């Protein structure tokens, strides 16, 4: 029987109720020049850092994000927030707030009881601040101790401690080359904010066409044996069409409380060949199984949950290029501390 790890990052793992994949922030609107051919760039996701009760990280395209974490001891806060900023001169700041309570809009954000920003729009499960109010609030967080939201009507939401926020935002200023410029969030100076956005790597995805093949039961048995799958209580094999005569088989091999691990095979002319990747998949002890996999329109999505609550782990997106799966996005949250807004650590532009 295959042994697998619940997750291969330094996470605190506890089984909870199931959860969907973490919400994905809107991509940066900052333009970056990119070639129209495949750059064959090896993926190199960047590591996250933690400052106090804040996690922070950047992707290879220069977009950075900081997220509040619930205290390691004591009750979880009713509110989490994430601060994201794209690359390029004077790029805007976006703040996403998630609360266990319903918040009537417009809200007022106060730092140490001082009103700083007002407004907000509801986008899915988050309240979003953008533009000047977001920049003003981000700058104020760096010098404050407590953030409190006041809903329309005057009801206050449980405050969030800001331990580590200043260091996290200064780290973002440094990584984006804004220290000492007029565009910095915290480390402001008099120099102009002129650093351009870096170009993104490009992956050319194959055109998906044809119909998925019907699999012989004996072939399914051989694939399960080759992948050293468990032999009971597993979901059915899923097939998806790839390019032309090839079919992707998603073969469940092991199941836990909140993760299903699957082996991927490419089927062609009745033969099953293990799918190849340009980047190790997240979470599997042997590196050849994917977590909670789905495949649509040439893109493979995986979500290795650190626990059932879905507030830690890693998501990966791979594009099928006709030969192998290529990593085009990775998001992660190393700490199981209440914030489901995963931080992007790698991104690529997909062309067809």
């Amino acid at each position: 029987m295959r042994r697998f790890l619940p997750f291969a990052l330094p996470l605190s793992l506890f089984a909870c109720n199931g959860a969907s994949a973490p919400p994905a922030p809107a991509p940066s609107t900052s333009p970056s020049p990119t070639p129209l051919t495949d750059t064959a760039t090896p993926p190199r996701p960047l590591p996250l850092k933690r400052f106090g009760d804040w996690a922070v990280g950047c992707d290879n395209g220069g977009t950075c994000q900081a997220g509040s974490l619930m205290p390691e001891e004591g009750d979880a806060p009713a509110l989490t927030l994430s601060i994201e900023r794209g690359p390029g001169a004077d790029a805007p700041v976006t703040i996403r707030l998630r609360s266990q309570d319903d918040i009537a809009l417009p809200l007022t954000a106060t730092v140490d009881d001082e009103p700083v920003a007002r407004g907000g729009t509801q986008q899915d499960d988050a309240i979003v601040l953008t533009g000047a109010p977001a920049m003003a609030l981000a700058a104020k967080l760096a010098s404050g101790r407590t953030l409190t939201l006041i809903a329309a009507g005057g009801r206050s939401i449980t405050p969030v401690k800001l331990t580590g926020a200043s260091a996290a935002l200064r780290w973002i200023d440094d990584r984006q080359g804004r220290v000492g410029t007029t565009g910095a969030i915290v480390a402001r100076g008099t120099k102009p904010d002129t650093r351009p956005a870096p170009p993104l790597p490009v992956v050319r995805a194959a055109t998906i066409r044809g119909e998925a093949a019907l699999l012989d039961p004996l072939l399914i048995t051989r694939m399960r044996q080759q992948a050293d799958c468990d032999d009971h209580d597993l979901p059915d094999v899923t097939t998806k069409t790839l390019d032309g005569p090839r079919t992707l088989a998603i073969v469940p091999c092991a199941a836990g409380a909140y993760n299903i691990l699957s082996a991927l095979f490419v089927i062609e002319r009745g033969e099953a060949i293990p799918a190849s990747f340009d980047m190790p998949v997240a979470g599997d002890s042997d590196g050849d199984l994917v977590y909670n996999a789905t495949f649509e329109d040439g893109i493979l999505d995986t979500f290795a949950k650190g626990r059932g609550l879905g507030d830690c782990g890693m998501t990966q997106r791979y594009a099928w290029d006709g030969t192998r799966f290529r990593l085009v996005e990775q998001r992660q949250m190393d700490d199981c501390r209440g914030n489901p807004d995963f931080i992007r650590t790698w991104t690529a532009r997909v062309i067809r």
Side-chain angles (χ1 to χ4, degrees), residues 72 84 104 172 224:
E72 292 186 290
E84 181 181 356
I172 288 177
R224 291 194 187 278

Side-chain angles (χ1 to χ4, degrees), residues 216-294:
D216 187 314
L218 292 178
L219 180 60
I220 293 176
T221 299
R222 289 199 299 270
M223 288 189 293
R224 291 194 187 278
Q225 291 173 342
Q226 182 175 346
D228 193 21
C229 298
D230 292 348
D231 55 6
H232 61 280
D233 297 331
L234 292 173
D236 293 335
V237 173
T238 301
T239 57
K240 296 287 186 177
T241 183
L242 288 175
D243 46 341
R246 286 179 285 191
T247 291
L248 174 67
I250 302 176
V251 183
C253 274
Y258 40 81
N259 286 312
I260 295 176
L261 285 79
S262 299
L264 301 188
F265 289 87
V266 176
I267 312 298
E268 186 173 11
R269 298 184 179 92
E271 296 295 326
I273 300 173
S276 62
F277 296 80
D278 69 344
M279 174 76 184
V281 295
D284 177 36
S285 60
D286 295 329
D288 56 359
L289 297 183
V290 295
Y291 277 54
N292 303 312
T294 60

Side-chain angles (χ1 to χ4, degrees), residues 17 21 79 119 136 162 172 218 236 256 258 301 309 331 347:
N17 292 330
L79 176 70
L162 299 176
I172 288 177
L218 292 178
D236 293 335
Y258 40 81
D301 284 282
L309 189 62
R331 295 179 184 270
T347 187

Side-chain angles (χ1 to χ4, degrees), residues 22-307:
S28 168
T29 58
S30 301
S32 59
T34 53
L36 296 179
T37 57
D38 195 312
T39 57
T41 304
R44 295 187 178 93
L46 301 176
L48 301 186
K49 290 185 69 68
R50 181 158 58 105
F51 297 97
D53 292 332
W54 286 73
V56 63
C58 299
D59 65 23
N60 55 297
T63 294
C64 297
Q65 181 180 322
S68 66
L69 304 172
M70 66 182 181
E72 292 186 290
E73 297 181 0
D75 296 333
L79 176 70
T80 61
L81 67 154
S82 296
I83 303 168
E84 181 181 356
R85 193 178 197 187
D90 297 315
V93 171
T94 298
I95 297 179
R96 293 181 292 276
L97 305 131
R98 289 180 172 81
S99 175
Q100 298 175 9
D101 302 322
D102 292 331
I103 302 177
L105 300 177
L107 61 78
T108 300
T110 69
V111 176
D112 299 337
D113 299 324
E114 176 186 345
V116 178
R118 189 172 186 272
T121 58
Q122 189 74 46
Q123 296 182 15
D124 298 324
D125 64 340
I127 294 173
V128 177
L129 288 171
T130 57
M135 176 61 93
L137 180 56
K140 193 67 175 180
L141 293 176
S143 60
R145 293 180 298 175
T146 303
L147 167 70
T148 303
L149 298 186
I150 301 175
R155 183 172 62 89
S156 294
I157 307 301
T158 303
V160 172
K161 299 294 184 182
L162 299 176
T163 306
S166 178
L169 293 172
R170 286 179 183 275
W171 186 87
I172 288 177
D173 281 342
D174 178 68
R175 289 300 181 271
Q176 294 186 328
R178 302 186 202 272
V179 172
T181 73
T182 56
I185 298 174
V186 180
R188 291 185 181 179
T190 58
K191 295 184 295 184
D193 181 14
T194 58
R195 184 171 177 173
L200 294 178
V202 175
V203 172
R204 180 173 293 279
T207 299
I208 303 303
R209 63 183 185 273
E211 296 183 359
L214 296 175
L215 301 186
D216 187 314
L218 292 178
L219 180 60
I220 293 176
T221 299
R222 289 199 299 270
M223 288 189 293
R224 291 194 187 278
Q225 291 173 342
Q226 182 175 346
D228 193 21
C229 298
D230 292 348
D231 55 6
H232 61 280
D233 297 331
L234 292 173
D236 293 335
V237 173
T238 301
T239 57
K240 296 287 186 177
T241 183
L242 288 175
D243 46 341
R246 286 179 285 191
T247 291
L248 174 67
I250 302 176
V251 183
C253 274
Y258 40 81
N259 286 312
I260 295 176
L261 285 79
S262 299
L264 301 188
F265 289 87
V266 176
I267 312 298
E268 186 173 11
R269 298 184 179 92
E271 296 295 326
I273 300 173
S276 62
F277 296 80
D278 69 344
M279 174 76 184
V281 295
D284 177 36
S285 60
D286 295 329
D288 56 359
L289 297 183
V290 295
Y291 277 54
N292 303 312
T294 60
F295 182 81
E296 293 295 337
D297 194 26
I299 301 295
L300 174 72
D301 284 282
T302 74
F303 181 17
K305 299 179 185 180
R307 61 175 180 173

